[in-house]
Amino acid sequence: MNHIEYKVKNICFVAGFGALAVFLCTVYLFILRDVIRNETENYMSEISGKTVQIVQSEISDNFSDLEMAAKAVEFLSKEKSSDQKIMQFMETVGNTYGFTRIGIVREDGTGWLADGHAIDLSKEEYIKRAIDGEQAISDLTVSTIDKEAVLIYAVPIRNQDEAVCGALVWSRSVESLHDKLKIKTFYNEGHSHLLKKDGTFIIETEQDVMKQGTIDRFLENGCTGIGAAEIAVLMDNLQNGTGGMLFFGKDGRAYVGSYAPLGINDWFLLDVVPQEIINGDFNRVMLIGAGIVMSFVLICLLLVVYVWRLQRGHVEKLKNLAFEDPVTGGGNITYFRENARRMIRHASPGTYAMVSMDINSFKLINVTFGQEAGDRTLKYVYEILKEGLEPGEIAARMGQDRFRMLLKNAPVEQLVKRLAENVERIGRYNEKLESKYFLSFSAGIRVVDEPDDNIIIIGDQANMARKKAKLRPAPDGLLSWAVYEQQDKTELMRSKEILDAVDRAITNHEFAVYLQPKIDLRTKKLVGAEALVRWILPDKTMIRPDEFIPTLEHNGQISKLDLYMFREVCRILKDWEERGFQAVPISVNFSRVNMSQSQILDQYQKIQTEEGVSSNLLEIELTETMIQGDMEYFGQFMDEIHHLGYQCSLDDFGSGYSSLNTLKDLSVDVLKLDRQFFRDQGGDGEKEKKIVRGIIQIAKSLGIRTVAEGVEEEDQVKMLTEMGCDMVQGFYYSRPIPVSDFEEKYKKEIAG
Ligand code: C2E
Ligand code: CA
Ligand code: CA
């Protein structure tokens, strides 16, 4: 997954989580709101029920008082008491029960009050009902006498035959009902109202939220949060005698109303309470609940973000570890392969060219200036190569001093020109220096003509071309290059043949020992030899070790060959001994692959004992690449070799990464200076000379003998003699030659 995909995925995750949280929170709040509304409704109808009961019992108390009085009046009339007596009685009763006025009407609705006032209530509906034998109550009426708002109660009065002959009426100030209608439980904030079924208010309490008029007009004018449809439902309910709930706002406050039929006339009782009072606790619960949910969601979200960041940091770190080259700070081999693979796959054939590049004799820098300077140089080279890239190209260090680039393909001359410009720019740091040192490079170019080709194979082929380049002279001394050709493919195929053939070759003795002499520079006499393998095929063609040893090392078969060569060398020495020769020590090469095989030295000793050769004629050549950071193990290994009685030499010194420093910690007998020290590097070679002289002197001071390898010229022999080098091994004296030729050539020295 690339970085952007990863980021998008994470953002989606957090967004998704956030959306889910908001959704859950909303659902929770909706449910809570519903529960609260239900609770409010239940609570309000309960309150309503109670106020209805209060009003009903007040009114029925009033009626029973009046009925009592009516019974008394009936009794007095039966006793034929005088009207005056009856009047007196009514006055007493009125005072006792707190009636404002009390009077009697006849069947025609006319009559008199206790105080003597004549009254005519013949048109009143409630009087008609009382005459019809019912208890009846008037709507709110303003008394004609004292202008007071009253309710008038009327009950029938019957004669001896139980027939209605009139009605007892009394009026009562509306105040008494007012008091009962106040809903005390709501901190005096709740109010009750009596309504007629057409919506007209009969009684309103003091601090009324509703003004005189009808409920629908009141709600329509100046109330919020209630629509025409809800008002219509209310009016319908009133008409049909059913109760219900009412939610509305007024002057910035929200109210809840509950109305229920009273069972008296067509009256309804309406209780109105500010919502915040009734819902005070619920609102708090809801707020706390919402707060808890929100905090929980927030904590979860923070946790998720935290874990995500932690993980991202981790992934980033791992990615850096996996893709970053610690030396250059740029991409490493994995980075290069991953990206190159992707780029090639998405491009048409021939878009890119893969370039493999390394620094010639880079080892000199490590040896001379130490690893830190070496690393600085690698970083510097990388920076320049990177600067030289065009958009859509990449570069990375692949390991050691090898670099790889994926460049836009172009005619070879152009590619080479770009590479040469890089090399030239790398050399620019010399501009201000007095003694100049130029880095030279080898480059292999492999045009990527098949997007499906394996990236590792493409890389191997670029490497192959680079190695080919090393064998060619550099036109300007600083860059040698070669292009991978199709026929080079056969070389790869050959490595498979090699592996298939190695066992057969060992059994058939196809591997031959060639000996190359080591000559003492003081006496110019033979003092030793190195055994170098040659593969002589049945058809007599000879394959050089460079062509098959890397392949055998690659899959571990090299140990077989090294043991075989050791046995062959033992046999030569034994043969010389038996023939009475003055034998010289012979060194064998020891592949670094053997180092990882435990008990390998036991096998060497076993062979030596079997062949019956004395150990002091044997020398093992280790290369400094075997150290690979584990000096302690390397030192122990050398000690074991000495324990077996063999000499131990350090081969190819100066071609690897060890520095002179390592020498003092190792019990090396012989130091073999790499051929690269003596190769023409361009320039005057003064620097190399200084290095070689230094190394020889240091080795001497540590009691280590020195062998200069690859010496081809007389000048070199002279120079090395003058520098105090102990021995040389090189074409100047002899190429590696078959044993019989060697015996022939040095018969004077060895045959005595
Ligand atoms: P090496 O151990 O550094 O051996 C020296 C190489 O330098 C030999 O290459 C030799 O032919 C070459 N040489 C010697 N003098 C000169 C000279 O004056 N000029 C030039 N240009 N070259 C010179 P050779 O025989 O091709 O072997 C190459 C490498 O193969 C050896 O390098 C060694 O690392 C490896 N090798 C050879 N035989 C064996 C073996 O039996 N076992 C193992 N493990 N490796 C072997
Ligand atoms: Ca060697
Ligand atoms: Ca060597």
Side-chain angles (χ1 to χ4, degrees), residues 530 532 589 621 623 650-653 655 672-675 709-710 729:
E530 177 178 3
L532 294 157
N589 289 287
E621 295 194 0
T623 61
L650 196 57
D651 200 1
D652 301 342
F653 187 79
S655 69
K672 300 190 76 180
L673 302 179
D674 195 78
R675 190 154 71 89
E709 280 191 308
Q729 177 190 340

Side-chain angles (χ1 to χ4, degrees), residues 596-613:
S596 52
Q597 299 198 4
S598 61
Q599 320 296 311
I600 184 87
L601 289 178
D602 292 351
Q603 298 188 53
Y604 275 75
Q605 192 188 23
K606 189 165 166 267
I607 291 170
Q608 179 224 329
T609 334
E610 278 171 8
E611 300 302 332
V613 190

